[in-house]
Structures are given as structure tokens and as C-alpha cells.
Amino acid sequence: MSTSADPLATLAALPGVAESVEAVRTAVDRVYGHRVMRRRSNEVTSEAALRGARGSAALAGADWALEEVRRRTDFGGDGEPHTVGAALRVTAEAGQLLSVWRQSPLRVLARLHLVAAGGADEDDRVGRPRLAGEPVRERLVGPEPPDADEVAARLDGLARLLLAGSEAPALVTAAVVHGELLALRPFSSYNGLVARAAERIVLVGSGLDPKSICPAEVGHAEQGAAVCVAGLESYVSGTPEGMAAWIAHCGRAVELGVRESTAVCEAMQRGAA
């Protein structure tokens, strides 16, 4: 990243990023202008949360049909049910943490991990970054994560960057938060769920998607794990081209999330949902 006073703004000036930002802004404005949003926005928000959680769980290895996620009430035990339950819990919790995020992003990340782990037997690893020698106990995809010392330093740097504020568009900030957390995998488990929830928090808290109706998690899942890994590798490269490619990837995810919610609005308008 740049060493300028506002490195996020520097990323926003990279070739191609402005086009991604504009495409996302246009898509978001379009769905917010849908007539269904005038009276049924709360329903759209709830449906977007459900679909976003399903998408996030799918990328974490639990690719369940939407109706199964909607119908199921028991997410106990291990394996896929616990992963889906974790995604649902994290998505719900993220909406309650916007004010805390503005004061302490690291506290929010710890809370999200605690909520994701739920009743899992993680001893004292739950809710804190991993220490030296502690493994990441989840399916690893993409580049190997750095060691605990580097994780701690980069988490602190990310928090300071967020608290300093930036003139960069919300998409750029959300992409950096998401990419950095995926690259670091700071917790012993559920890093993907936490990273995608943090991206959601930035998009909502920035005012780009204040009603949380544009589930980027849906778009990430639709693009598929292989594309997400390729995007993460671009981010980890740290090159201008790689950073721009990752931001574009995240922008496409938001656009696909908008498409999903637009379809929900259309179904509601027809009386089919």
C-alpha cells in the first residue's frame, strides 16, 4: 500500500477503480429507487440478510439451497449445519455493530468471531487473534497466511487506517477490509465469514447501502471460490494492478448482490414473495 497520508484514496485513483466505483453506485441507486423500497424496505433487508448469509456459508463450504436455510431451525452440531448457523448469526450481529465499528474495528472483529464460533470448542482462541504457533483451523484457500506477529501488526495498521478516515469511496475501503482479513486470516476459524461481514459493515456504515439490501456475499458466492481465490492472490500481490483487480472483484460482487435484491423486489411487486 501507499505511504501517502490517505492510502485508500491513492488506491481509488488506480486505473479502472473509478469505473468500478461508478458501476456500483449506479447499481445501488437503481435498486434503492425501486418502487417496492418505498413501503417494504424492511422485508427486502431481511431477505437480503438471509441470502447474504447463505452465500457466505456456501463459500465456507456449506452450500445449502436457500429454502433449506430458510426452513431449518436447528443448526447445532458440527460440520455444515454449524457453518450455516454461524453465517446467520454473524450476518445478524453485523447489523448491530455499526456504531462500535466507528470507534473500535478490532473489537467488532473479535465479537464477530465469538458469535461465529458459537458453541464450538475453541478454548480461549475464540474472540481473539491467533498467537504464535496456533493454526488456522478451517479450510485454507489462497496464499498461506502470515505468522501471528505480522497479523497483529497489520491488524493494528488496518484499525488505525480506518479510524483516521478517508475520502476514498466506500467500495475501496470495503474491499481493503475484506482483502486484508482474508489475507491475514487472523482467527483460528471462520475468517471468511468475519471478513465478508466486515465488508458488509463498511458498505452499510459508509452510507452506500444504508438499508443493507445489497448483499455482496451473494455476489462473491456466485463468482465462485476459484474466482475469489484468484482475486485474493491479486490483492496479496500488493501491485497496483492486483489491488485494482481485487477492488473490481468486490465491486462485481456488490453488483451481483444488487441484482439479487432487484429480483426480490420484482417478485414482491408481482405478489410472488
Side-chain angles (χ1 to χ4, degrees), residues 10-20 240-241 244-245:
T10 300
L11 294 178
L14 291 174
V17 171
E19 289 81 357
S20 295
E241 297 79 10

Side-chain angles (χ1 to χ4, degrees), residues 130 136 143-151 154 182-185:
R130 53 190 169 86
V136 177
E144 284 294 314
D147 62 27
D149 288 342
E150 183 176 345
V151 167
R154 286 174 60 175
L182 282 186
L184 296 179
R185 277 167 275 182

Side-chain angles (χ1 to χ4, degrees), residues 39-78:
R39 293 179 300 163
R40 304 179 68 180
S41 64
N42 288 342
E43 295 174 64
V44 179
T45 296
S46 296
E47 188 65 18
L50 180 69
R51 294 180 184 223
R54 193 218 72 83
S56 195
L59 284 172
D63 191 1
W64 288 16
L66 178 64
E67 292 311 312
E68 175 65 12
V69 178
R70 193 191 307 279
R71 179 193 67 80
R72 189 78 169 257
T73 57
D74 178 15
F75 297 99
D78 298 324

Side-chain angles (χ1 to χ4, degrees), residues 6-269:
D6 189 348
L8 293 174
T10 300
L11 294 178
L14 291 174
V17 171
E19 289 81 357
S20 295
V21 168
E22 182 60 26
V24 165
R25 179 77 267 175
T26 299
V28 171
D29 286 348
R30 187 179 302 119
V31 71
Y32 269 85
H34 197 287
R35 61 187 300 177
V36 165
M37 289 295 295
R38 299 173 193 167
R39 293 179 300 163
R40 304 179 68 180
S41 64
N42 288 342
E43 295 174 64
V44 179
T45 296
S46 296
E47 188 65 18
L50 180 69
R51 294 180 184 223
R54 193 218 72 83
S56 195
L59 284 172
D63 191 1
W64 288 16
L66 178 64
E67 292 311 312
E68 175 65 12
V69 178
R70 193 191 307 279
R71 179 193 67 80
R72 189 78 169 257
T73 57
D74 178 15
F75 297 99
D78 298 324
E80 292 189 6
H82 192 277
T83 298
V84 175
L88 289 166
R89 293 192 300 272
V90 166
T91 300
E93 187 74 10
Q96 310 301 315
L97 296 173
L98 294 176
S99 61
V100 183
W101 178 266
R102 296 186 181 99
Q103 302 297 321
S104 179
L106 298 187
R107 180 180 166 194
V108 169
L109 296 176
R111 174 63 185 170
L112 290 173
H113 184 248
L114 182 66
V115 169
D121 183 12
E122 297 259 345
D123 302 319
D124 65 345
R125 295 187 297 273
V126 174
R128 64 154 175 80
R130 53 190 169 86
L131 303 177
E134 292 181 343
V136 177
R137 298 188 175 187
E138 65 181 329
R139 184 178 61 175
L140 297 180
V141 293
E144 284 294 314
D147 62 27
D149 288 342
E150 183 176 345
V151 167
R154 286 174 60 175
L155 278 178
D156 181 66
L158 179 63
R160 285 187 283 104
L161 184 68
L162 294 170
L163 293 173
S166 173
E167 295 299 318
L171 172 64
V172 174
T173 304
V176 168
V177 168
H178 185 183
E180 192 71 355
L181 293 176
L182 282 186
L184 296 179
R185 277 167 275 182
F187 300 106
S188 58
S189 57
Y190 302 108
N191 290 286
L193 297 183
V194 170
R196 290 183 286 275
E199 180 183 47
R200 172 186 285 265
I201 288 172
V202 174
L203 293 171
V204 173
S206 67
L208 176 66
D209 180 23
K211 294 183 182 294
S212 194
I213 63 168
C214 306
E217 305 96 323
V218 168
H220 287 300
E222 187 169 333
Q223 291 181 87
V227 173
C228 289
V229 169
L232 178 59
E233 289 173 344
S234 295
Y235 176 86
V236 170
S237 75
T239 65
E241 297 79 10
M243 298 299 291
W246 172 250
I247 294 168
H249 166 76
C250 292
R252 179 60 178 158
V254 176
E255 290 183 74
L256 291 170
V258 167
R259 187 176 72 179
E260 185 86 355
S261 287
T262 300
V264 169
C265 289
E266 293 293 329
M268 287 181 176
Q269 186 168 293

